[in-house]
Amino acid sequence: MPRRSILTERQRAALFDLPTEEASILYYFTLSDEDLEHIDDRRRPENRFGYALQLCALRYPGRLISSREVIPEAVVRFIGAQLGMTGDEILPYAARRQTRQQHLHALRQVYGFKMFSGHRARELKAWLAGEAENATSNHDLACRFADECRQTRTILPGVSVIERLCADALVAAERRIDSAIVARLDESMKARLDDLLSEMVDGKVSRFVWLRQFEVGQNSADATRLLDRLEFLQEMNLSPDILLGIPPHRMSRLQRQGERYFADGLRDISSDRRLAIIAVCAVAWRAALADAVIETHDRIVGRTWRGAKKLCDAKIADAKTAVQDTLRAFKSLGAALLDARSDGAPLDQATELACGWERLEGLVATAAELTDTMVADPLAHVGQGYHRFRRYAPRMLRVLDIRAAGVAAPLLHASTLIADDEKPEKLPVGFLRRSSKWHRHLNAQEEDGHRLWEVAVLFHLRDAFRSGDIWLSQSRRYGDLKQALVPAEAVKDTPRLAVPLDPEVWLADRKARMTDGLARLARAARAGAIPGGSIENGILKIERLSAAVPEEADELVLDLYDRLPAIRITELLQEVDADIGFTEIFTSSQTGAPCKDQIGMLTVLLAEGLNLGLSKMAEATNTHDYFQLSRLSRWHVESDAINQALAMVIEAQSRLPMASFWGGGVTASSDGQFFPAARQGEAMNLINAKYGSEPGLKAYTHVSDQFGPFATQNIPATVSEAPYILDGLLMNEAGRKITEQYADTGGFTDHVFAVTSVLGFRFIPRIRDLPSRRLHLFDPASAPDKLRGLIGGKIREGLIVQNWPGVLRSAATMVTGVMPPSQLLKKFAAYPRQHELAVALREIGRVERTLFIIEWLLDADMQRRAQIGLNKGEAHHALKNALCIGRQGEIRDRTAEGQHYRMAGLNLLAAIIIYWNTKHLGQAVAARQRVGLNCAPDLLAHISPLGWAHILLTGEYRWRRRTGPKL
């Protein structure tokens, strides 16, 4: 029977090879005094060394030294130095098998090492069976098994044994989970789930495939299609409780398989597995469909508002000529009346001569109409969307399981009236604030007043979902915020929190820092010592920061890039994969085994990164056709895998010597890049006037000081970038290492200031209109006279103290990943009633923003660091524009998933190029140093690994060799 391989050669080496890095050797192979005593019991030098080497190998990686094994030179030197031996005394070791066996016997007697056999093997197999359910991958389980063996001093068996044990344990765990899910289904539900594969919709696709074909929509027809699917799943009455106790990653894997299988493929697998996949998908799609319905409603409301505003703007534009004519007429009349008054002539006669009373009456009427037009409120026109809402809204409100907080009870009652199609004589308006403009428009409605009222209810329903006043019982995105926050008792165990649990301690520290900062700023203002700025008559003036790039840096950049070899993009990818092995991350979603077709995997990733698509890439390469690439993409390319591959490339690039000249990987900048899209109703393609009239989306990317793009997200072109800053910082290990985060004006809000401070990130935005920003103090009356013109208000300490536990819970929730930070921050920003927790966060943000502005004004080095960091992020845009060559640079994917893969692939390809450039720039620097040319560190700091002129990006994509079979 052939051995089942679940690990790659690189993964096997990581498990079994002796360490070669200095830090690892020092950690694992340092001998204690007791160890040296046992070693000295051996008489001959080579035996002492052999005994010590075997002891170290049994501790890590936990295996026996094999005969004729080549020991890394660094290990030999380190162990020999501890024993006071030279290389000549060590060479004879391992010549006699009997000696090695004697050493093993002695080590087992002294240190308690045991072989993997008998009772110990049975214990570890039982442990492995339980651990397999929680393991996220084959490699993860193998690493857990190796760690357990080391902790229990069990000598690792051979790699083939480990792979077989892990594979068997994973298969058994998979079957147990499938059986556990199916056992909770009754016979009728099993039959109903199986029917999804055979029942056809419109004679075209199976019901199962029809159910998974959904995306967030843009109009009422899209909402209706979503509701069709949601109602069907609700009628099945499949309880989410069937998944209680199932590990989340297991459910995700089953769902991913269901989203890739077609009906025929599902019919061919075992009954339990098939039913488990369909059941998990049905539960997950039901929640996802409900969220998609809410998001679609959100977009329809926005579309209705934009249409009403556009109508107002059009009326104002059309009235421009009438306004001018009316003003000219009144100007003439006014001049005539003034002349008559100065001459003592009758005003009636002057009026008759100027325009006449009848025309004056017309002018007054026209002026009244124009006045109403010029102050027109879009709310007067949103009623035009009534029929659009009527097509789906009552049904939506009946289908969704909506819950509400007490403050939103009137809105929920009004929604119920719409759902039940009731039209009471007195329409309830308790959901409106007293100062709401809706009152005036509702009171002005004489006929069909219920239409505008329904539109008002649906507008406020959108806002309530955004803020969390209203939620869905089963939802991740629109769930109950109170249930989503981690418990208060778990806050103290959150390692990322950088603030004390007692708010009074935090307030005392901030007061002291603010008092000191204000005093320093006042002294600098009086002395005219503010770097690049001044405060005159209470007005802050800031000058542009001057550049500080040495002239020699330009010459060095040109020379280094001239030394880089010209290379095809295919050869570059293969070289980087040989160094790092990032393609090994793309495992099969069916078996979990690594992809064996390295060339095929690289071709798929290149197609995504260059925005060519698989069909065009199949035409441009001679190794794979479209169906082979499609199969690889469908079963191996997932979001988690792309993120892990990116993390591998970023980590490898940060370890290259050249990267150290650019930073330590502890500062980062973030910025959004706009990508145009075709006008075909794609998932996230909205129009932002800042980028012209074409629709598109933005890729929001975090770039470290070493130029590594360690995180990227797709966001709509119209939304604020600020909520997404924390997502990138908490998304992976590279982001968590960041201590100083830079952003442009678009990434700045008081809430972001607050949360970054609570989580220990130093947030440094470049605020475009900084002179207009006000300082908020604990005691404005005590502000220095020189700064009085900059003071904006008083910090509400009591509100901070009262809501401090909620602030800490919110921050801890972001760290744990229960809810993305952007989602939580958007809820806080959307509170229409100024929820106290949101206001408390705003007050904390004002404190942090005030402290930041003071430091910014006094610290020119901070300003320069931020400018350099943001320049690195903006330089990434040019590289990605050069790479996104397919489809004329437009993102034409119709689904959010397709757009995500396109942007993630582009980011990964950019990171791979940055790694290759960093590596070869380091070699070019070494070449310059060998001939005595200047390579000063201060000059190398200005080098960028973002060049691409030496890389051939277009043409036929041919690969040097095949390292795996074609699929």
Side-chain angles (χ1 to χ4, degrees):
M1 180 178 178
R3 174 169 63 90
R4 181 174 179 183
S5 176
I6 65 170
L7 302 175
T8 65
E9 289 298 329
R10 197 183 302 267
Q11 291 169 343
R12 295 187 195 105
L15 280 179
F16 280 88
D17 284 1
L18 297 174
T20 56
E21 295 182 357
E22 182 179 351
S24 299
I25 293 174
L26 184 65
Y27 181 80
Y28 291 114
F29 287 178
T30 299
L31 301 170
S32 67
D33 292 340
E34 181 183 357
D35 295 335
L36 293 173
E37 288 179 6
H38 293 301
I39 293 169
D40 288 339
D41 290 340
R42 275 60 242 167
R43 289 182 301 136
R44 301 172 66 180
E46 61 269 23
N47 287 341
R48 288 200 296 274
F49 175 81
Y51 186 90
L53 176 61
Q54 187 62 80
L55 172 61
C56 292
L58 287 175
R59 286 175 172 167
Y60 187 87
R63 62 171 175 84
L64 296 173
I65 295 293
S66 62
S67 62
R68 297 191 179 132
E69 179 176 350
V70 178
I71 309 300
E73 183 181 355
V75 172
V76 173
R77 287 201 310 268
F78 185 76
I79 295 178
Q82 295 181 83
L83 303 180
M85 295 182 183
T86 63
D88 293 337
E89 297 173 304
I90 297 169
L91 290 178
Y93 173 69
R96 297 176 66 244
R97 178 179 178 184
Q98 183 179 359
T99 302
R100 295 197 309 273
Q101 291 176 339
Q102 291 172 350
H103 288 173
L104 175 60
H105 178 74
L107 288 168
R108 292 179 59 187
Q109 291 291 327
V110 174
Y111 293 97
F113 291 108
K114 290 184 169 61
M115 301 299 293
F116 182 78
S117 61
H119 179 66
R120 178 57 58 88
R122 289 191 295 272
E123 287 181 343
L124 284 171
K125 288 178 182 178
W127 174 89
L128 193 62
E131 202 71 13
E133 293 187 7
N134 298 317
T136 57
S137 66
N138 299 335
H139 183 230
D140 178 37
L141 184 59
C143 290
R144 294 185 186 208
F145 177 78
D147 290 340
E148 181 66 15
C149 286
R150 292 165 192 149
Q151 292 179 11
T152 59
R153 299 201 173 190
T154 303
I155 300 173
L156 286 174
V159 63
S160 60
V161 176
I162 293 178
E163 288 192 284
R164 185 178 68 252
L165 290 172
C166 291
D168 292 344
L170 287 166
V171 171
E174 192 175 82
R175 289 173 178 169
R176 285 197 304 273
I177 289 173
D178 295 344
S179 299
I181 295 174
V182 174
R184 298 169 182 173
L185 304 173
D186 56 34
E187 293 303 321
S188 62
M189 183 57 70
K190 293 178 184 178
R192 190 70 190 93
L193 292 174
D194 267 333
D195 287 345
L196 296 180
L197 302 179
S198 56
E199 182 181 338
M200 303 301 290
V201 179
D202 298 332
K204 297 179 180 179
V205 297
S206 67
R207 179 71 67 178
F208 179 77
V209 173
W210 175 78
L211 283 171
R212 76 185 183 197
Q213 292 176 338
F214 66 88
E215 279 284 341
V216 175
Q218 305 282 347
N219 51 45
S220 59
D222 293 335
T224 299
R225 285 190 286 269
L226 291 170
L227 289 169
D228 289 341
R229 290 163 171 80
L230 181 57
E231 281 187 331
F232 182 89
L233 289 174
Q234 287 181 339
E235 289 171 1
M236 288 182 63
N237 199 27
L238 181 61
S239 172
D241 293 341
I242 64 169
L243 303 180
L244 288 177
I246 306 299
H249 70 275
R250 289 286 181 181
M251 291 188 289
S252 297
R253 184 173 175 183
L254 289 169
Q255 182 182 346
R256 288 197 300 268
Q257 291 186 24
E259 290 170 348
R260 284 161 173 76
Y261 272 116
F262 290 103
D264 291 341
L266 275 173
R267 293 191 196 101
D268 293 338
I269 63 178
S270 64
S271 175
D272 280 0
R273 185 67 171 174
R274 179 178 67 253
L275 289 172
I277 289 174
I278 300 174
V280 168
C281 287
V283 172
W285 293 343
R286 179 173 171 178
L289 279 164
D291 288 352
V293 169
I294 298 301
E295 182 66 23
T296 301
H297 172 67
D298 189 299
R299 294 186 178 186
I300 293 174
V301 169
R303 183 180 179 182
T304 302
W305 173 259
R306 289 191 298 272
K309 190 174 185 305
K310 186 176 180 180
L311 184 59
C312 284
D313 294 341
K315 288 187 173 182
I316 291 174
D318 292 342
K320 183 177 180 180
T321 302
V323 169
Q324 293 174 344
D325 293 342
T326 303
L327 288 175
R328 289 193 190 100
F330 274 112
K331 177 183 176 183
S332 299
L333 174 62
L337 292 174
L338 290 174
D339 289 343
R341 181 175 179 275
S342 62
D343 296 339
L347 297 182
D348 290 349
Q349 184 179 355
T351 302
E352 287 286 354
L353 292 174
C355 63
W357 289 103
E358 290 185 3
R359 189 184 175 198
L360 179 58
E361 290 179 358
L363 286 174
V364 172
T366 301
E369 293 178 3
L370 291 174
T371 301
D372 292 338
T373 299
M374 300 305 290
V375 298
D377 187 346
L379 290 182
H381 304 286
V382 294
Q384 65 182 352
Y386 170 77
H387 294 291
R388 179 186 300 150
F389 289 121
R390 195 66 190 172
R391 295 187 190 103
Y392 74 92
R395 182 184 178 194
M396 175 187 76
L397 296 174
R398 289 192 297 269
V399 169
L400 296 178
D401 185 8
I402 301 176
R403 310 291 174 85
V407 70
L411 179 59
L412 185 60
H413 172 64
S415 302
T416 303
L417 294 178
I418 296 176
D420 296 339
D421 205 19
E422 296 183 17
K423 295 181 176 63
E425 293 184 6
K426 185 175 182 180
L427 298 172
V429 292
F431 60 91
L432 297 175
R433 286 178 287 178
R434 292 183 178 178
S435 59
S436 174
K437 294 180 180 179
W438 285 95
H439 286 295
R440 176 165 56 88
H441 294 284
L442 288 172
N443 293 334
Q445 292 286 319
E446 296 180 358
E447 297 181 358
D448 295 329
H450 70 279
R451 294 189 174 187
L452 184 60
W453 175 82
E454 286 191 18
V455 173
V457 171
L458 295 171
F459 265 62
H460 283 76
L461 191 71
R462 186 273 301 263
D463 294 337
F465 269 117
R466 282 185 170 187
S467 66
D469 286 344
I470 280 181
W471 61 87
L472 299 178
S473 58
Q474 297 290 334
S475 172
R476 180 176 177 83
R477 182 167 187 179
Y478 296 103
D480 187 357
L481 183 58
K482 292 182 179 178
Q483 293 183 358
L485 297 181
V486 300
E489 54 271 16
V491 169
K492 62 179 180 298
D493 298 325
T494 305
R496 185 79 226 187
L497 290 181
V499 294
L501 298 179
D502 185 353
E504 297 294 346
V505 176
W506 181 85
L507 285 171
D509 174 73
R510 288 322 190 253
K511 288 178 180 179
R513 290 175 56 183
M514 191 175 291
T515 300
D516 175 69
L518 290 171
R520 289 188 291 117
L521 181 59
R523 287 196 300 269
R526 287 192 294 268
I530 297 178
S534 63
I535 299 177
E536 300 174 5
N537 300 322
I539 299 175
L540 175 64
K541 298 181 179 180
I542 301 293
E543 299 176 2
R544 177 181 288 273
L545 195 66
S546 60
V549 180
E551 295 182 1
E552 300 90 334
D554 292 336
E555 179 184 350
L556 178 60
V557 169
L558 294 175
D559 182 65
L560 288 178
Y561 270 96
D562 282 343
R563 293 172 182 269
L564 297 189
I567 189 171
R568 292 179 177 272
I569 186 63
T570 51
E571 296 173 353
L572 184 150
L573 285 170
Q574 286 182 294
E575 180 181 332
V576 176
D577 190 45
D579 290 350
I580 304 172
F582 61 86
T583 55
E584 297 170 3
I585 293 298
F586 296 91
T587 59
S588 170
S589 58
Q590 293 171 300
T591 64
C595 179
K596 296 180 180 179
D597 187 358
Q598 181 215 35
I599 298 299
M601 197 69 254
L602 290 175
T603 306
V604 170
L605 295 177
L606 184 60
E608 297 288 354
L610 294 179
N611 194 30
L612 285 178
L614 298 182
S615 59
K616 289 294 183 183
M617 178 56 74
E619 297 173 3
T621 185
N622 63 341
T623 58
H624 293 74
D625 59 32
Y626 171 77
F627 296 103
Q628 292 169 328
L629 296 178
S630 178
R631 183 171 182 270
L632 281 169
S633 175
R634 186 167 134 212
W635 290 107
H636 290 270
V637 179
E638 298 174 353
S639 296
D640 290 344
I642 295 177
N643 291 336
Q644 291 178 42
L646 176 65
M648 287 181 65
V649 176
I650 296 297
E651 177 64 23
Q653 188 259 350
S654 69
R655 292 197 303 266
L656 293 173
M658 189 67 187
S660 62
F661 293 107
W662 303 320
V666 295
T667 69
S669 66
S670 56
D671 193 18
Q673 182 177 7
F674 179 80
F675 288 90
R679 292 179 176 270
Q680 297 174 358
E682 288 85 346
M684 300 175 69
N685 302 335
L686 304 177
I687 296 175
N688 186 332
K690 177 182 176 182
Y691 305 105
S693 60
E694 292 299 316
L697 57 88
K698 281 197 291 187
Y700 192 69
T701 305
H702 286 67
V703 178
S704 76
D705 50 19
Q706 296 176 330
F707 292 94
F710 59 86
T712 188
Q713 289 176 280
N714 286 10
I715 63 175
T718 54
V719 303
S720 168
E721 298 174 355
Y724 298 93
I725 288 178
L726 268 297
D727 284 5
L729 293 177
L730 298 176
M731 185 182 296
N732 52 43
E733 193 58 36
R736 297 185 191 99
K737 293 179 181 177
I738 301 302
T739 59
E740 199 166 88
Q741 170 68 25
Y742 313 119
D744 221 327
T745 301
F748 148 70
T749 64
D750 287 335
H751 285 169
V752 174
F753 262 115
V755 179
T756 50
S757 172
V758 171
L759 294 180
F761 298 106
R762 190 179 190 189
F763 182 47
I764 303 180
R766 181 177 59 186
I767 303 177
R768 186 180 301 111
D769 54 346
L770 182 61
S772 66
R773 300 291 174 175
R774 303 293 91 182
L775 306 180
H776 288 74
L777 310 183
F778 291 101
D779 184 11
S782 64
D785 293 339
K786 189 70 175 176
L787 306 180
R788 289 294 174 89
L790 305 181
I791 308 305
K794 181 178 181 179
I795 301 297
R796 299 161 66 180
E797 298 179 45
L799 201 60
I800 295 175
V801 173
Q802 181 181 352
N803 291 277
W804 191 254
V807 170
L808 299 185
R809 288 181 64 195
S810 301
T813 301
M814 297 178 189
V815 173
T816 58
V818 173
M819 181 179 290
S822 59
Q823 186 174 331
L824 205 53
L825 287 174
K826 284 189 287 186
K827 284 184 179 294
F828 290 143
Y831 274 116
R833 296 174 178 81
Q834 289 297 297
H835 186 276
E836 284 195 351
L837 180 56
V839 177
L841 269 173
R842 185 197 66 192
E843 295 298 304
I844 294 172
R846 285 176 171 176
V847 173
E848 300 298 339
R849 173 164 57 87
T850 297
L851 294 173
F852 159 73
I853 291 175
I854 293 172
E855 291 302 320
W856 176 273
L857 294 175
L858 296 175
D859 191 346
D861 183 61
M862 176 193 288
Q863 300 177 33
R864 202 171 300 280
R865 291 200 312 273
Q867 186 64 48
I868 292 172
L870 291 169
N871 287 345
K872 290 180 179 180
E874 292 170 357
H876 265 262
H877 297 347
L879 173 60
K880 290 182 178 178
N881 283 333
L883 294 177
C884 194
I885 57 177
R887 301 166 181 174
Q888 299 177 325
E890 289 187 349
I891 306 301
R892 298 180 183 175
D893 301 86
R894 298 182 64 86
T895 66
E897 182 183 33
Q899 293 175 352
H900 166 74
Y901 285 137
R902 197 72 69 204
M903 292 292 97
L906 174 60
N907 200 50
L908 177 59
L909 182 59
I912 292 169
I913 290 174
I914 290 166
Y915 170 89
W916 190 94
N917 282 344
T918 304
K919 172 185 172 181
H920 286 270
L921 283 172
Q923 295 174 0
V925 168
R928 278 179 58 94
Q929 290 173 335
R930 284 195 296 270
V931 296
L933 295 177
N934 183 18
C935 289
D938 60 322
L939 294 179
L940 294 177
H942 296 282
I943 306 301
S944 161
L946 300 175
W948 68 87
H950 55 289
I951 303 172
L952 182 59
L953 295 173
T954 58
E956 290 187 323
Y957 297 102
R958 297 182 177 273
W959 305 91
R960 288 196 308 265
R961 65 184 186 280
R962 297 275 320 269
T963 58
K966 268 202 309 186
L967 296 180

